[in-house]
Amino acid sequence: MLAHDGHNCLDVDECLDNNGGCQHTCVNVMGSYECRCKEGFFLSDNQHTCIHRSEEGLSCMNTNHGCSHICKEAPRGSVACECRPGFELAKNQRDCILTCNHGNGGCQHSCEDTAEGPECSCHPQYKMHADGRSCLEPEDPALEVTESNATSVADGDKRVKRRLLMETCAVNNGGCDRTCKDTSTGVHCSCPVGFTLQLDGKTCKDIDECQTRNGGCDHFCKNTVGSFDCSCRKGFKLLTDEKSCQDVDECSLDRTCDHSCINHPGTFTCACNKGYTLYGFTHCGDTNECSINNGGCQQVCVNTVGSYECQCHSTYKLHWNKKDCVEEKGVLPTSVSPHVSLHCGKSGGGERCFLRCHSGIHLSSGLQEAYSVTCGSSSPLRSKQQKSNDSAFGDVATVRTSVTFKLNEGKCSLKKAELFPEGLRPALPEKHSSVKESFRYANLTCSSGKQVPGAPGRPSATKEMFITIEFELETNQKEVTASCDLSCLVKRTEKRLRKAIRTLRKAAHREQFHLQLSGMDLEVAKKAPRTSERRVESCAVGQGHVGNQCVSCRAGTYYDGAQERCILCPNGTFQNEEGQITCEPCPRPDNPGPLKTPEAWNASDCGGLCQPGEYSADGFTPCQPCALGTFQPEAGRTSCFPCGGGLPTKHLGATSFQECETRVQCSPGHFYNTTTHRCIRCPAGTYQPEFGKNSCVSCPGNTMTDFDGSTNITQCKNRRCGGELGDFTGYIESPNYPGNYPANTECTWTINPPPKRRILIVVPEIFLPIEDDCGDYLVMRKTSSSNSVTTYETCQTYERPIAFTSRSKKLWIQFKSNEGNSARGFQVPYVTYDEDYQELIEDIVRDGRLYASENHQEILKDKKLIKALFDVLAHPQNYFKYTAQESREMFPRSFIRLLRSKVSRFLRPYK
């Protein structure tokens, strides 16, 4: 840095700022600094982080490899040494010799390279220090005034005037700290921007710009010598004017939330669709409603993905409230009327199939990338765990079958199909139908799989699709003949279904498979159109237009296909789910009672129902309060739940188990056992946040708790190792990220890039607890062997980002946690680049200026900017996607200057 005299250069101690970015020890040297490691570690290629040293093996991991700076593996098991930028390899091919290109060779003023190393010299009027590097300032000449040769005051004044007249900018810069200008009245001193001239007229003092209007910064202002820096609060980013702060819209980024994302100033929140529970801050898992009071079902509760259903034992049927079971008097369990039919016939030279839903229609939440449609009702006690294809209940045999179609391109699309001109849809003639089947129940699910790769650098819109259909039908004793018993009927039915599925598969691959719901013909899936054919698409079924967006019809409304918009449920009906195409009739459509709200969301909105804590034979008034020792938390029920264990309630009409007079009150993380009358810890995989409960809540989806006795949903963690590994870009992340990772977990990843490509990794931040004595760690090596070349290893938290290139052409990565403390973990992106750019990339990531500025550090943490940088590194031709204006608006000027200087030197080394 320039001294106050405007001439001398003083060393900057980089170690004072965040330890120079060094993981262990920072050592300041003249004109530069060095990172050093503790005993048992050695410095990695990025010259900042430290890697644990292995005592075994004959590779670079061996303590005796002999390289002064960087060790590289060479063919045939030997090693090759390299030097850091600014050093030259000595003749022994091991040591590194300092040159003037590194920290000016350690010289304070001038440096000249010689065969023995840098030779230092000083500017005129300075003399060399004994250390051979530093330069001493000249001493001010003393006034020639002695006691033996005293002069008069008048002579002294004349000498001062004569000296002022002789003062010039050519001598000692006129005494000015910075800028000097000769004038008729003497020298005139001035200061650069960021400094102010003091009363002596020569000295410059730094201006603290942050004292005036916060330096013009939106959020934080930090004063520096001659200038200042602005920075922003977490969740905001600094704009290119380097003063203004703008909210980061996390919802515009990929993979922010599993379902819905809501942006707020400086932060965001995630929300899940109905039937799902939020965990790990951003993830959604299926809610197991059956784990809480049996889902409120009187007999059998069956959990399904995103929902659940109550079922009844044989000779019972489900009550209108979908929870209670009532006895079917005088009705035998024979085959019911079909709810679903499948018709296929010849059309346009091929088969065309229609799956028609007549009743019991249930539509998923209207997502365009995936959906599910259920028609009819499954047979009693149907379970996902059943392995057999058919099951018999007395005189009834239930036949089930399932088929999955894979389509290589396109996307799931549940939209109105324009099948025939002017909307004329002729019915398939019955006599020409090659398939005509009726079913009790059908479930169709369409989901998108992996994206089909396209040309390098070009985004691919097409994806693999999977269409899964489950069918269920019944045969009964009435169809039995003398030549074919019930078992024979089942075999005939299965054979018929196999033929239907073959026909259906052909129709699906020809885009000739359609759904008919409430009189609407719908596409099941649609291939991606060519670029020239693309047009604005209409909304999916169950969605209406709000501005330019498609939004699912909310509860209390339904989708009208004719008007293509959402309509309020008419009087006497209700709808408690989003994105549906019909409304359910109120339990008493002839006398629905007054609606409590303009939009009927639930059966309880129909009016006239028994309230929580009450019951009646049909769930309607007149109602009776729940007796002592029973409770009922829901409206419209036909009975109350017993407390169990002979426990009484405090009063009539109890609405929850917490009103049962237990012998002890159980704390969160426990449930009350009505048999032993003790509090039991919630088993692993469940939690309980409230006092006095008689059950624990199952963790959502595939999550588990680390231990028993959990008290919060945050303790439910996904143990699946996360990330996406691609040939060009990808990322790895700790399980359950950004929530805390689970205990006793182990993850391994392998990055194996295509030929002639190398790996660049950015660690924006990593959170590992330091209390566990390195019980949790992340390591990146060439192979799983502990003796192989190690690129990165850490067991600590670092909020400061770091970028580095892999020391080997492929990487084996392992993350391991113990049973101790947990933390957020990490999400680490990587990119593979052409090895011709190796020198340029290493030059950039090893430059301390990349990490010195807070604004540069924020770039390495900004997912959107890193994605753009990686996009260009992976596919350099994509550089032309970004205009110069876009680049200026994305990155601070200082960052662009840094990259431009590196690229220019790389492309024009001799200029």
Side-chain angles (χ1 to χ4, degrees), residues 612-616 623-632 638-644 647-656 659-661:
E614 299 177 343
Y615 75 100
S616 71
C623 307
Q624 294 180 343
C626 289
L628 293 175
T630 65
F631 65 94
Q632 179 51 258
T638 63
S639 63
C640 298
F641 297 107
C643 292
L647 297 176
T649 50
K650 301 173 184 177
H651 51 76
L652 296 172
T655 59
S656 72
E659 296 178 64
C660 299
E661 294 187 317

Side-chain angles (χ1 to χ4, degrees), residues 241-523:
D241 64 5
E242 301 191 358
K243 290 186 177 183
S244 306
C245 292
Q246 184 184 66
D247 171 54
V248 175
D249 184 5
E250 294 87 354
C251 296
S252 66
L253 306 175
D254 295 335
R255 303 185 301 270
T256 300
C257 297
D258 280 359
H259 287 181
S260 302
C261 183
I262 305 160
N263 189 55
H264 304 288
T267 185
F268 69 99
T269 56
C270 295
C272 297
N273 298 337
K274 184 178 179 181
Y276 292 82
T277 302
L278 188 71
Y279 71 90
F281 302 110
T282 64
H283 304 292
C284 295
D286 171 53
T287 305
N288 184 1
E289 295 87 352
C290 297
S291 69
I292 308 169
N293 196 31
N294 197 39
C297 301
Q298 189 178 46
Q299 292 186 4
V300 180
C301 180
V302 178
N303 186 54
T304 60
V305 178
S307 185
Y308 74 104
E309 59 182 39
C310 297
Q311 295 179 356
C312 301
H313 299 303
S314 180
T315 72
Y316 285 85
K317 67 177 182 179
L318 202 60
H319 188 259
W320 63 263
N321 59 25
K322 306 296 184 184
K323 298 287 183 73
D324 292 317
C325 295
V326 294
E327 190 171 2
E328 289 187 296
K329 297 180 181 179
V331 178
L332 293 175
T334 56
S335 178
V336 296
S337 58
H339 298 282
V340 196
S341 60
L342 176 65
H343 287 261
C344 298
K346 295 287 183 181
S347 176
E351 297 282 352
R352 170 173 286 177
C353 292
F354 289 89
L355 184 66
R356 295 169 178 162
C357 293
H358 306 291
S359 62
I361 301 170
H362 180 269
L363 186 67
S364 69
S365 55
L367 297 174
Q368 293 188 354
E369 294 297 319
Y371 65 83
S372 178
V373 178
T374 300
C375 303
S377 60
S378 179
S379 62
L381 299 180
R382 183 177 183 275
S383 167
K384 291 191 294 183
Q385 286 74 30
Q386 273 184 296
K387 300 290 178 69
S388 61
N389 285 336
D390 57 84
S391 55
F393 295 93
D395 295 333
V396 178
T398 303
V399 180
R400 301 187 181 95
T401 188
S402 176
V403 60
T404 298
F405 309 134
K406 177 185 174 183
L407 304 180
N408 287 329
E409 60 178 33
K411 65 177 182 179
C412 298
S413 172
L414 194 61
K415 298 180 180 179
K416 289 184 68 176
E418 299 297 333
L419 302 181
F420 302 98
E422 301 178 4
L424 300 175
R425 178 173 52 83
L428 288 172
E430 297 292 326
K431 61 181 180 180
H432 297 306
S433 294
S434 58
V435 173
K436 189 173 73 170
E437 291 290 344
S438 297
F439 303 97
R440 172 192 176 109
Y441 168 86
N443 176 265
L444 184 147
T445 301
C446 184
S447 59
S448 298
K450 294 180 180 179
Q451 189 163 323
V452 177
R458 293 184 180 179
S460 301
T462 60
K463 292 184 178 181
E464 294 178 345
M465 288 184 305
F466 296 92
I467 300 174
T468 301
I469 311 175
E470 298 176 45
F471 292 113
E472 183 179 305
L473 58 79
E474 291 181 350
T475 59
N476 58 58
Q477 197 69 37
K478 290 181 179 180
E479 301 174 43
V480 172
T481 64
S483 60
C484 189
D485 59 9
L486 193 60
S487 175
C488 168
L489 280 175
V490 169
K491 290 180 180 179
R492 285 184 179 178
T493 303
E494 290 174 345
K495 182 179 179 181
R496 207 169 62 242
L497 287 178
R498 285 194 293 270
K499 177 189 173 185
I501 286 171
R502 286 195 298 270
T503 304
L504 189 59
R505 188 187 299 275
K506 293 177 184 177
H509 281 285
R510 294 181 63 248
E511 292 188 82
Q512 297 298 315
F513 175 36
H514 303 278
L515 268 176
Q516 286 185 3
L517 305 179
S518 298
M520 283 188 292
D521 289 319
L522 307 174
E523 296 173 341

